[in-house]
Amino acid sequence: QQQVKQSPQSLIVQKGGISIINCAYENTAFDYFPWYQQFPGKGPALLIAIRPDVSEKKEGRFTISFNKSAKQFSLHIMDSQPGDSATYFCAASMIPGGSQGNLIFGKGTKLSVKP
Amino acid sequence: DAGITQSPRYKITETGRQVTLMCHQTWSHSYMFWYRQDLGHGLRLIYYSAAADITDKGEVPDGYVVSRSKTENFPLTLESATRSQTSVYFCASSDRGGPYGYTFGSGTRLTVV
């Protein structure tokens, strides 16, 4: 119930295309869903996050779509660029904090954007 | 410099040796975390700390020890390193409980031979 399942493991997209990464969760108590971006040799960095009271959140070329009934959420990268090539992690947790607020991460998706 | 720093960046050690990975943050964040990153497993929580002198186990704590005598430091010790502990270790901090504002360090790549 604590798992967050992420797919695909790897993704190759042409420059200008749309990258889509999907995540699914089981624990209905999760109520915070962030995405982290990690470049080689660096630590993950928060990219965008969503709460379940909205179905979509957009920041620039990055959009989170959230489907509460299906317990799924996805990251869409529009007009993908070579600079977007990185590993992306979805995560989930419960609010408020304490140990239940610790982030549970998916296993990651390695995105390569070809020029 | 402000931020969260990990040292060393790279470490090779022998099986059975004790090794300590250091983590220092300059924001006085209450919460600090240690994760390990392995291919096929993503990020897994080893230990976390809600404040100085308060620590708790995460998903994969066996073989690791932590301490937090000062708010800014959160060292991770492998008491007797094993090859299965070869990994990239990330420290993170947060200024509030729960998931908000996790800032990760750049990681320590540890190889146990």
Side-chain angles (χ1 to χ4, degrees):
Chain A
Q1 257 211 337
Q2 285 294 93
Q3 283 187 330
V4 176
K5 295 183 179 179
Q6 184 172 347
S7 63
Q9 271 191 307
S10 62
L11 181 62
I12 299 174
V13 173
Q14 290 295 124
K15 179 183 175 182
I18 302 173
S19 304
I20 302 174
I21 304 170
N22 300 300
C23 283
Y25 63 98
E26 289 294 326
N27 190 340
T28 54
F30 285 150
D31 57 6
Y32 177 74
F33 303 90
W35 285 89
Y36 280 76
Q37 180 188 54
Q38 183 183 29
F39 292 107
K42 302 292 185 183
L46 179 64
L47 182 64
I48 187 172
I50 197 169
R51 296 288 305 278
D53 52 344
V54 296
S55 60
E56 186 176 281
K57 183 174 181 180
K58 184 176 180 179
E59 289 184 3
R61 295 184 294 107
F62 300 91
T63 300
I64 300 179
S65 297
F66 186 82
N67 187 328
K68 189 173 182 177
S69 60
K71 291 183 286 184
Q72 295 176 347
F73 58 110
S74 60
L75 177 69
H76 291 62
I77 306 174
M78 311 301 289
D79 186 26
S80 299
Q81 299 297 312
D84 297 331
S85 297
T87 300
Y88 292 82
F89 293 94
C90 63
S93 73
M94 289 177 272
I95 299 173
S99 63
Q100 292 179 325
N102 290 340
L103 285 171
I104 308 296
F105 285 90
K107 293 186 177 181
T109 296
K110 185 173 183 179
L111 171 65
S112 296
V113 181
K114 299 301 184 185
Chain B
D1 289 340
I4 183 166
T5 55
Q6 293 184 236
S7 60
R9 284 282 279 148
Y10 303 92
K11 177 74 176 178
I12 300 174
T13 191
E14 294 178 340
T15 302
R17 289 197 179 266
Q18 183 182 81
V19 61
T20 296
L21 310 183
M22 303 302 293
C23 180
H24 174 79
Q25 52 104 354
T26 60
W27 296 298
S28 298
H29 284 173
S30 296
Y31 282 76
M32 296 187 76
F33 308 84
W34 274 106
Y35 286 86
R36 60 177 291 175
Q37 183 175 19
D38 304 286
L39 198 62
H41 291 279
L43 292 159
R44 293 182 290 175
L45 182 65
I46 305 171
Y47 269 96
Y48 67 98
S49 169
D53 298 321
I54 301 175
T55 63
D56 208 346
K57 296 178 180 179
E59 180 186 354
V60 289
D62 293 344
Y64 303 95
V65 175
V66 293
S67 62
R68 191 152 177 223
S69 57
K70 293 183 178 181
T71 300
E72 61 267 29
N73 297 322
F74 191 37
L76 176 74
T77 298
L78 289 67
E79 294 187 297
S80 179
T82 65
R83 289 195 178 122
S84 65
Q85 292 177 311
T86 292
S87 185
V88 181
Y89 291 86
F90 287 100
C91 177
S93 71
S94 172
D95 62 353
R96 51 194 291 188
Y100 297 108
Y102 275 36
T103 302
F104 283 83
S106 295
T108 294
R109 181 176 293 276
L110 176 68
T111 302
V112 183
V113 298

